[in-house]
Amino acid sequence: MAARRMPNERRSLFGGTSSGGAGTSGGGGFNQYEEERENDRAVDEIANRAAALKRITIDIQEEAEQQQALLDNMGNYMDKSRGMVGKVSSYFNKVLKENRHRRYMYYVVGLVIFFLVLYRWMFSRG
């Protein structure tokens, strides 16, 4: 029966001897055991790297979601500020149309500039 291999022949193919058990005598079984350990270490290393990559991708996703929320909030604030600037602009146009209010606006602008110059002068010396 050439098609079937005998147990002794199987042992000799995998590093064992025909008289002893597999891996108990001879250097072949020991090499197989070391190769299996090396493969196990390589598999563990690959698993660790895959886990690290998974953690990194999860962190990237969380960061992207946080930045998206920040950008959405920033867009809302820009819309609100655009509305406020429009209201202030219409108010200034209304004030500038009347001469009496225009004079008060010049007083206020002059006082603001005066205080800015005074502030700059006081803190530029010290």
Side-chain angles (χ1 to χ4, degrees):
M1 295 203 151
R4 298 183 90 205
R5 293 184 186 229
M6 301 302 288
N8 289 339
E9 290 176 341
R10 287 181 72 195
R11 284 190 202 122
S12 66
L13 286 175
F14 291 111
T17 60
S18 61
S19 62
T24 57
S25 64
F30 182 73
N31 287 337
Q32 181 182 2
Y33 178 73
E34 286 297 319
E35 287 176 1
E36 286 179 19
R37 284 184 52 194
E38 185 176 329
N39 286 341
D40 289 341
R41 279 189 295 248
V43 167
D44 289 341
E45 183 178 340
I46 290 171
N48 290 337
R49 288 184 183 191
L53 284 174
K54 182 179 178 181
R55 285 191 302 270
I56 289 170
T57 55
I58 289 171
D59 290 343
I60 290 172
Q61 180 183 2
E62 290 174 355
E63 182 69 25
E65 289 172 355
Q66 289 175 354
Q67 289 181 4
Q68 183 66 34
L70 179 68
L71 288 174
D72 288 342
N73 289 335
M74 189 181 297
N76 293 338
Y77 288 130
M78 293 297 283
D79 291 339
K80 289 178 184 177
S81 64
R82 185 178 301 138
M84 288 178 16
V85 167
K87 289 178 184 177
V88 169
S89 174
S90 65
Y91 178 75
F92 275 125
N93 285 334
K94 179 181 168 184
V95 167
L96 289 176
K97 287 181 181 177
E98 298 179 23
N99 286 334
R100 188 181 84 188
H101 293 292
R102 188 179 304 168
R103 188 172 18 149
Y104 290 130
M105 190 186 73
Y106 289 141
Y107 290 149
V108 170
V109 170
L111 282 172
V112 168
I113 291 173
F114 174 74
F115 282 119
L116 286 175
V117 170
L118 183 65
Y119 177 80
R120 174 88 177 184
W121 178 73
M122 287 174 59
F123 288 105
S124 66
R125 300 175 101 193

